[in-house]
Amino acid sequence: MAISKSSARVAVLGVLGALAVIMGYVEYLIPVINTAIPGIRFGMANIVIVMVLYIFSYREALAVSVLRLIINALLFGNIFSILFSLSGTVLSLLVMCLLKKTGLFSMTGVSAAGGAFHNIGQILMAWAISGASSVLLYMPVLMTAGVLTGTFTGAAAYIVMRKLPWQES
Amino acid sequence: MKHKIIQKNDILLISAILLAACFLAVFFFAKEDSTEGAFLEITADGELYGRYPLNEDAVIDINGTNVCEISNGHVSMIEADCADKSCVRMKEISFEGESIICLPNRIVLKITGCASAEEGVDTVAG
Ligand SMILES: [Zn+2]
């Protein structure tokens, strides 16, 4: 079934939004590999964001990810990290949305590219803020990390989606 | 669902991004290795004779006994009045830490990294 009733949409988005916040918290509990750039993490919340992108559209996915970033930053993080996360999230969503539209890739591929561009966005933001081109040196390793984590979160999202009654939009 | 968990296109996409990351890494690595910011440090009789940027070609006379040349970021001893001439025969140097030594004349040519590391200029932010 597709989600058509607006009350159902609100309810499902609320649940998924809450789940994204929890994922952000779970991730906060996991020790991070030292990347020297704030805000770069595994991307657990991406599992939920990809699901929202597929169940609804990029607009809902953007709303959920921005809201969850703000809530997570207020609850567990610092405000400064929002800038980094936001740049990554927006670029990542843009890329995922475009790739999804081509119809060529599965959730895993879409999410893998999203993971890479999430980190690219953060590095570009770090570059813009610090003006130090040396942060670009992190690009290769963080792109690789982003692709790998994105592949895992995308596959996880696929597995969860299969168990859900809602179809891809 | 329209797609499988992973299919050929996804693997191609993931490989393409990994390949792009590799290219970037090679590009950055090559840039790091370039002569930009590297110096030729000449020591004579245990004292610093001079530092010369590797990215400027030059022919340097050292105490009238040796002549070395910087060309395209590579350094070689082109003339020496020492007996064995082993310094002239040595392979040209270009990487940080490499050196050419003329033992009889007590002259050492050594490539050092960016000046910033020692002089504190251009510190990395972030
Ligand atoms: Zn010699």
Side-chain angles (χ1 to χ4, degrees), chain B residues 66 80 82 84 87 102:
Chain B
N66 295 53
C82 59
D84 58 8
C87 54
C102 180

Side-chain angles (χ1 to χ4, degrees), chain B residues 66 77 79-88 101-105:
Chain B
N66 295 53
M77 193 77 87
E79 273 179 59
D81 67 356
C82 59
D84 58 8
K85 299 270 190 295
S86 68
C87 54
V88 181
I101 300 165
C102 180
L103 267 183
N105 294 343

Side-chain angles (χ1 to χ4, degrees), chain A residues 99 103-109 112-113 116 132 134 136-137 139-140 143-144 147 151 158-159 162 168, chain B residues 1-7 9-10 13-14 17-18 20-22 24-26 28-29 32 124-126:
Chain A
L99 287 176
L104 291 171
F105 307 102
S106 74
M107 283 173 89
T108 310
S134 54
L136 295 176
L137 292 174
M139 197 74 102
M143 270 172 77
T144 307
V147 168
T151 304
Y158 180 93
I159 292 166
R162 259 196 330 205
E168 285 179 34
Chain B
M1 281 167 78
K2 278 183 290 199
H3 298 283
K4 286 192 289 216
I5 188 160
I6 191 160
Q7 48 199 29
N9 282 341
D10 301 307
L13 179 66
I14 291 166
I17 296 170
L18 288 176
C22 285
L24 271 179
V26 169
F28 287 142
F29 186 71
E32 281 274 280
V124 174

Side-chain angles (χ1 to χ4, degrees), chain B residues 10-79:
Chain B
D10 301 307
I11 294 167
L12 286 176
L13 179 66
I14 291 166
S15 312
I17 296 170
L18 288 176
L19 204 65
C22 285
F23 271 118
L24 271 179
V26 169
F27 173 74
F28 287 142
F29 186 71
K31 224 177 142 203
E32 281 274 280
D33 262 352
S34 79
T35 54
E36 201 183 350
F39 282 80
L40 163 65
E41 206 169 73
I42 302 177
T43 316
D45 289 312
E47 280 173 25
L48 186 67
Y49 183 84
R51 301 187 78 200
Y52 306 87
L54 275 197
N55 51 11
E56 286 169 33
D57 288 1
V59 175
I60 303 149
D61 182 277
I62 310 157
N63 291 339
T65 60
N66 295 53
V67 179
C68 74
E69 183 187 38
I70 303 174
S71 170
N72 288 323
H74 295 263
V75 176
S76 54
M77 193 77 87
I78 51 174
E79 273 179 59

